[in-house]
Amino acid sequence: MRRRNFLTATGLGAGTLLGTAACGGGSQSGDDSGGKGIKVAYQQWGSGTVMKDYLTGVKAAYEKANAGKTMELQPIVASENDYYTKLQLMMRSPRTSPDIVYEDTFLINSDITAGYLQPLDSYLDEWEEWDQFQDVAKGAAKAADGKTYGVPDGTDTRALWYNKKLFAQAGLPETWTPGSWDDILTAARQIKAKLPNVTPINVYAGKAAGEAASMQGFEMIFYGTGSTLYDADKDKWNVGSSEFKDSLTFLKTLFDEKLAPDPTIALDAQVGTRVQEEFLPGSTLAMDLDGSWVSSTWLDTGGAPWKEWNDTMGQAPMPTRDGSGEGSISMSGGWTWAMTKNASNPEDAWKVISTLTSFENNLKYNINSAAVAVRKDVAADADYTGSNPTLEFFSSLVPVTQYRPQNTDYPRVSNEIQVAMEAVVTGQASVEDAAKAYDEAVKGIVGEDKTATL
């Protein structure tokens, strides 16, 4: 999961779109001109309008270049988990299904199993630009059946953002590289003691934050123990894990000692927006375990422009539990543009997807969203490499990054991670009880024969 801001239409001329379709925006109009329109569904959440503005510009250029064809934007106004649910409900019926959907890679396999998506291989085989996409990005959009169901538009890494000025006020170094979980706790406790009106650290936790809690929160901690949720070679899910309990204990410590936001804030669906648009710019939050894209919120095209962000915010790798292994850990994900099974005009739908992920449009997207590029030509482009001062840091984490299980059961397991986190941070369950409930839930989802203590 990751919350995104999208590039504006500035500089996106009709010339980019001549001879090919592209997705467009505005409010729902229902004017698909006798079946010639392409409907595109995406998530709209928070105060940012960058994606809407971008798609509106593409719509205008597309309709000007393709007489008689229209684009219909279908914004789904919902938090992360609600977006996934609503999107899946829409895709069930030809009557309500969009043609193209913005699909988180962790849902690819489960949505294929449900029959919501169709493979793109016949189009990709003829698309010369597919060779520009890095193999790891291609793999993220490939299903268990070996077919590809989406074209990625970028990837990401995760790390600690920290306020250098608050660190200095608390007597901590402005250039900070924690070497263990204990180092994070030490810094958080010092901030709490020295700056009582500042929340030391945010770690997403609970069901309201959705995949942000599972991935940015728990998995960034858990994978730092050297353990894993799922062993693909053995086809086994990890239960009865002491590392799972250690990770919940670390999280519990943050909340028990009031080093993290109050649960009324942490468990609110707006927490991600508030962290990025209110707490960090307002210097009321010292550390945030979050993604590479966060600074896109503070750009002129973002939801909360903040000119001083680069002078104020530093970045540090998330350390492993005790500094062992590679010493640091990251998680990577990404989103794709996918074609639904019920697409009314697959040829035009493909033209939309290939345009959204073309070099020129992907370059603009990656610059404005602070994404880690998945196209080799974009990654090498001087405009991209010079676009954001954090780009080099977040790209450097790729060698230590981990990926969520490419498994149809993962979305349901992820939900159980969120349940366990929420139970612990609210005090509704002990670490032991929350971990036990998680283990039983996983066994119920995948079958006890597909579980083991790894």
Side-chain angles (χ1 to χ4, degrees), residues 5 46-50 276-277 296-306:
N5 287 312
S47 61
T49 62
V50 179
Q276 295 178 30
E277 299 187 5
S296 66
T297 301
W298 305 323
L299 303 178
D300 290 340
T301 53
W306 178 23

Side-chain angles (χ1 to χ4, degrees), residues 189-266:
R189 288 163 178 155
Q190 187 163 331
I191 290 164
K192 181 176 175 60
K194 299 285 187 179
L195 305 172
N197 294 323
V198 172
T199 300
I201 187 169
N202 172 63
V203 177
Y204 295 107
K207 293 180 287 186
E211 191 62 15
S214 301
M215 191 175 184
Q216 272 123 267
F218 186 81
E219 289 166 31
M220 283 289 291
I221 301 168
F222 177 66
Y223 278 82
T225 66
S227 192
T228 184
L229 290 173
Y230 172 72
D231 187 320
D233 292 333
K234 297 178 180 177
D235 191 22
K236 299 285 186 181
W237 287 90
N238 193 1
V239 297
S241 163
S242 61
E243 292 86 359
F244 192 94
K245 287 183 281 190
D246 290 346
S247 301
L248 286 178
T249 299
F250 177 74
L251 188 68
K252 178 177 169 61
T253 300
L254 294 178
F255 281 83
D256 282 357
E257 295 187 18
K258 301 188 184 306
L259 304 175
D262 186 87
T264 59
I265 295 172

Side-chain angles (χ1 to χ4, degrees), residues 399-414:
V400 298
T401 204
Q402 298 285 331
Y403 295 87
R404 294 166 291 183
Q406 294 289 322
N407 185 289
T408 56
D409 294 316
Y410 173 75
R412 296 173 66 192
V413 172
S414 173

